[in-house]
Amino acid sequence: MARSEALNQQFIKDRFPFTVYSAEINPNTCEFLINLKNYRGQSLELYSDDIWQIITPTALYSSDFYGSDIANPNVASYINDLKVACHHLAGSQIAEICGYENLYDNTFIFDNGFIVRFKTTGDEYGSSMGNSVQWTFGPHTRGISNSFPYQMREQHLPLELTTSSLNPFDGVLDVSDPALVAAVGSTVVEVRCPANKEPLVAAYALMIVLENGAKIMVENPWSVSYTRGVWASQHFLEDIYDREFSQMYYILKGRCLVGFTGPDDLVQPSLLFEGGVRVDQFVGSTVGGAYPVTGGWSVTSSAGHFISKHQ
């Protein structure tokens, strides 16, 4: 197999296995860094100062904490639990990489059962929050950095989507809730981005209205992904809102909801629309965390009302 020269999923897989030798968080900034090496001495660095999750076989941790509140016993306990989770990542190897081939917002599956997910949303202050991947071997370095999703459309669009049976977020859900069942098969007629009533969760919620009257409300951090780019919950600033929203609306309108993927707890599934359009969600921790979990998602249809268990 010819080795990939661009830094992408295949480039990393061609140089497997990579083993974690350190994983750490900065409690003051919520930054997350994983350092890995392979047997050739090549280094790989996974970094985020945006939204990230560490999913263990028994719990979910995320960037939903504020280290400035370290005096709060709940915050201190949560940060300690995060450090323990990071410690358990050390020594494990990447078993699979899922998501767009160009490493945009990828999910990393480790051989000890841990999953690390990254999501780029930017923030309401216009800073360069995001995620990055860097490979180093001697004097040679290759890197990719993701900040605002709207900038990524012009620099390098999301490419082919890699899925895996090892990734629970890729599993197609066989939903039985009547409200969800009734929503599947109907097309999008309206899209709104109202201000989120929980501003610490995401700057904007996402409301999708379907032709049969069903209404989907996502108040978790979210992103709408397509081969032409990514639109995300926290980058709808006043100066770009109209342009960004109209682009996303154009992509979603008229598309049929075909189903859902993700773990069967339905806490943060992806919504799948025809043509490869998907809406991904990210929730806060499932272990109490530093703050009560807010946000969530719901579906109201002629068959009833579904609300996520996390609300």
Side-chain angles (χ1 to χ4, degrees), residues 228-255:
R228 297 182 185 178
V230 180
W231 295 261
S233 53
Q234 279 188 284
H235 78 284
F236 281 100
L237 315 181
E238 285 188 13
D239 58 337
I240 61 172
Y241 181 89
D242 289 341
R243 174 169 57 89
E244 290 295 290
F245 177 78
S246 62
Q247 290 173 345
M248 186 182 73
Y249 183 87
Y250 175 79
I251 293 298
L252 278 169
K253 188 176 181 181
R255 294 187 185 271

Side-chain angles (χ1 to χ4, degrees), residues 8-81:
N8 53 31
Q9 289 181 0
Q10 194 58 52
F11 182 98
I12 297 174
K13 291 177 181 179
D14 284 345
R15 291 154 179 82
F16 268 8
F18 279 95
T19 302
V20 177
Y21 69 86
S22 71
E24 56 191 52
I25 60 164
N26 184 326
N28 297 314
T29 61
C30 301
E31 293 170 281
F32 180 36
L33 174 66
I34 304 177
N35 290 298
L36 307 97
K37 283 187 177 179
N38 65 12
Y39 67 92
R40 299 181 182 89
Q42 300 173 352
S43 298
L44 188 66
E45 178 186 282
L46 311 178
Y47 168 84
S48 174
D49 64 353
D50 204 325
I51 293 179
W52 47 264
Q53 292 180 333
I54 303 173
I55 303 171
T56 76
T58 58
L60 184 157
Y61 303 91
S62 75
S63 50
D64 67 338
F65 68 93
Y66 290 85
S68 58
D69 291 342
I70 190 66
N72 181 329
N74 291 333
V75 177
S77 176
Y78 186 64
I79 291 174
N80 183 68
D81 289 344

Side-chain angles (χ1 to χ4, degrees), residues 280-297:
D280 295 317
Q281 304 185 59
F282 271 57
V283 302
S285 74
T286 59
V287 292
Y291 297 95
V293 173
T294 53
W297 74 288

Side-chain angles (χ1 to χ4, degrees), residues 77-281:
S77 176
Y78 186 64
I79 291 174
N80 183 68
D81 289 344
L82 267 172
K83 290 180 178 179
V84 171
C86 288
H87 175 74
H88 289 153
L89 262 175
S92 63
Q93 295 182 342
I94 298 177
E96 184 60 278
I97 308 173
C98 301
Y100 289 104
E101 172 66 18
N102 62 4
L103 297 172
Y104 187 88
D105 285 358
N106 274 194
T107 295
F108 295 84
I109 314 293
F110 293 85
D111 63 1
N112 65 347
F114 278 45
I115 298 172
V116 172
R117 302 176 77 203
F118 293 109
K119 178 59 61 180
T120 300
T121 61
D123 68 11
E124 64 268 36
Y125 304 106
S127 70
S128 58
M129 292 173 64
N131 307 294
S132 65
V133 180
Q134 180 172 292
W135 169 88
T136 303
F137 185 46
H140 306 290
T141 298
R142 298 177 189 271
I144 183 171
S145 179
N146 304 321
S147 53
F148 279 132
Y150 73 89
Q151 294 173 336
M152 306 309 297
R153 288 200 289 282
E154 299 177 0
Q155 296 174 14
H156 41 85
L157 299 179
L159 304 174
E160 181 180 354
L161 193 68
T162 301
T163 60
S164 170
S165 60
L166 296 178
N167 184 8
F169 294 94
D170 287 336
V172 177
L173 285 166
D174 183 14
V175 296
S176 58
D177 186 279
L180 302 184
V181 173
V184 173
S186 188
T187 57
V188 177
V189 295
E190 187 176 0
V191 181
R192 301 178 190 171
C193 287
N196 203 315
K197 66 175 182 285
E198 302 289 355
L200 293 180
V201 177
Y204 289 90
L206 177 65
M207 178 189 294
I208 299 174
V209 181
L210 303 178
E211 187 176 23
N212 66 2
K215 182 174 72 176
I216 303 170
M217 177 67 81
V218 178
E219 296 180 275
N220 294 315
W222 54 265
S223 65
V224 175
S225 303
Y226 186 48
T227 54
R228 297 182 185 178
V230 180
W231 295 261
S233 53
Q234 279 188 284
H235 78 284
F236 281 100
L237 315 181
E238 285 188 13
D239 58 337
I240 61 172
Y241 181 89
D242 289 341
R243 174 169 57 89
E244 290 295 290
F245 177 78
S246 62
Q247 290 173 345
M248 186 182 73
Y249 183 87
Y250 175 79
I251 293 298
L252 278 169
K253 188 176 181 181
R255 294 187 185 271
C256 177
L257 176 66
V258 297
F260 306 88
T261 67
D264 58 13
D265 59 12
L266 286 171
V267 168
Q268 52 178 346
S270 294
L271 284 60
L272 304 182
F273 295 86
E274 64 180 334
V277 177
R278 58 188 290 142
V279 176
D280 295 317
Q281 304 185 59

